[in-house]
Structure formats: C-alpha cells, structure tokens
C-alpha cells in the first residue's frame, strides 16, 4: 500500500521524537521554573509583532512591490481605522471605520 524507504521512516520517527521532547520539555523537570523577566516582557509584545508582520505588508505592498500611487483604498482605510482607534479605542469600531472607507473606494471607484 505505502512504499516507505528506511530514510523516510527514520525521518518521520526522528521528527516525532523531536516534537514530543520539545513539547514535553516543561513536564520533564521535577522543579518548577519561570522565565526570566526579560523574556516575560518580550513575550508581551509577541501578539502585536505577529499581527504587524502579517498586516503591514498587505497594506503597503501589492504583488511583492511597494504601492506606487496614493490612489489605493487600503491607505485611506488604514488612516480611517487609526483615526477611529485614536478617538474611541475600540477594535470593532476600528474595523468598521476602515471597511466603511475601504469598500466604497474599492468597489465604487475601483481603486
């Protein structure tokens, strides 16, 4: 049914062992331990860093190149969203404000 050569089987087993060891590493120690303070502070910024890494390229780039014109609906939507967030500090309102600006420009004007 499946044709597994020894190297493929060894690779699968090795990756399985590595996965179990790295995920179970924290349970293997009998002593409780905590992260250093600098690591805990750094982890506080991980969600916003990950979100920025995904969202910012979608805003300023198109097909792998920087946007060459100001007539891009995404730029105006970002400004509207940032304005709403600075004013009200609400995430839902930020999304709605950005989409209220984005959709007419994208659908209506074809930007």
């Amino acid at each position: 049914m499946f044709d597994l050569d020894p190297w493929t089987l060894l690779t699968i087993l090795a990756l399985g062992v590595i996965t179990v060891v790295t995920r179970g590493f924290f349970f293997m120690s009998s002593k409780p331990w905590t992260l250093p303070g600098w690591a805990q502070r750094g982890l506080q910024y991980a969600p916003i860093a990950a979100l920025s890494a995904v969202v910012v390229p979608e805003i300023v780039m198109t097909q792998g190149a920087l946007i060459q014109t100001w007539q891009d609906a995404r730029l105006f939507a970002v400004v509207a969203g940032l304005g709403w967030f600075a004013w009200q500090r609400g995430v839902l309102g930020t999304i709605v404000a950005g989409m209220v600006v984005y959709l007419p420009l994208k659908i209506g004007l074809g930007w």
Side-chain angles (χ1 to χ4, degrees):
M1 187 158 119
F2 293 107
D3 186 27
L4 285 178
D5 61 285
W7 286 111
T8 303
L9 186 60
L10 180 66
T11 302
I12 292 170
L13 290 174
L15 288 173
V17 168
I18 290 170
T19 301
V20 168
V21 169
T22 56
R23 291 182 184 244
F25 178 75
F26 303 106
F27 301 117
M28 291 179 191
S29 175
S30 61
K31 297 185 294 183
W33 65 280
T34 59
L35 286 173
W38 61 267
Q40 288 179 353
R41 284 190 309 275
L43 285 175
Q44 292 176 351
Y45 298 103
I48 193 67
L51 183 61
S52 298
V54 171
V55 172
V56 171
E58 288 296 322
I59 294 169
V60 299
M61 298 180 80
T62 183
Q63 295 184 358
L66 288 174
I67 295 173
Q68 299 294 322
T69 179
W70 60 271
Q71 289 183 326
D72 194 308
R74 295 175 291 179
L75 298 175
F76 291 96
V78 167
V79 170
L82 287 174
W84 181 274
F85 188 78
W87 180 45
Q88 292 290 320
R89 296 281 185 209
V91 175
L92 181 60
T94 301
I95 295 169
V96 170
M99 291 308 290
V100 162
V101 172
Y102 177 78
L103 288 175
L105 292 176
K106 184 70 173 178
I107 295 171
L109 296 178
W111 285 5

